[in-house]
Amino acid sequence: VCLTCCSRDAMVRIDQLCHKNSVKFFAGDVFGYHGYMFADLGEHEFVEEKTKVAKGSPAVEDGPDTKKAKLDPAETTMVKKRVAFCPLKEALAVQWSGEKAQAALRRTAPDYFLLQ
């Protein structure tokens, strides 16, 4: 489900229905130079390709480059990952008065507060 130009109450209500029924939910809007996008994908599984680190022999190499890990672009592994997305209501209900919130406040974009 993709929503735009909806009220906050409508977005929260529709996202709750989507989250309950394991339906992916996207919402977004643009206000001049500012905009937002929210995604609730529920339990989302994906595969990430990682480059293997080649092991060098320390006896053969010396110098400043010895400590750097060598990447072999030819060898990759596929890593399966899972992410649990939170519902919109939970994302909007953050308490900004706690100690953890002070650290998160520095990492939060000002546009978040425009949405509020």
Side-chain angles (χ1 to χ4, degrees):
V1 174
C2 296
L3 294 180
T4 185
C5 302
C6 289
S7 70
R8 179 178 164 166
D9 293 337
M11 288 189 296
V12 169
R13 190 178 76 249
I14 293 169
D15 178 49
Q16 286 175 334
L17 290 169
C18 290
H19 195 81
K20 179 180 165 187
N21 294 301
S22 301
V23 174
K24 294 176 181 6
F25 173 83
F26 297 91
D29 214 336
V30 177
F31 309 103
Y33 289 112
H34 300 280
Y36 71 90
M37 194 283 286
F38 178 82
D40 178 1
L41 304 178
E43 290 284 325
H44 182 67
E45 291 184 1
F46 61 97
V47 178
E48 185 176 68
E49 187 176 9
K50 295 236 177 191
T51 306
K52 282 189 179 181
V53 177
K55 297 178 182 175
S57 59
V60 177
E61 296 182 31
D62 60 349
D65 291 338
T66 347
K67 294 183 181 180
K68 292 183 182 175
K70 305 277 190 219
L71 296 178
D72 186 2
E75 290 190 51
T76 59
T77 57
M78 302 303 267
V79 180
K80 188 175 182 179
K81 294 190 175 186
R82 169 178 273 178
V83 178
F85 286 74
C86 72
L88 180 60
K89 185 175 185 176
E90 188 178 315
L92 294 173
V94 174
Q95 294 295 322
W96 294 103
S97 58
E99 288 181 24
K100 287 184 178 179
Q102 295 300 323
L105 188 59
R106 288 185 222 106
R107 295 188 312 261
T108 304
D111 293 348
Y112 172 83
F113 300 101
L114 289 174
L115 173 61
Q116 294 286 8

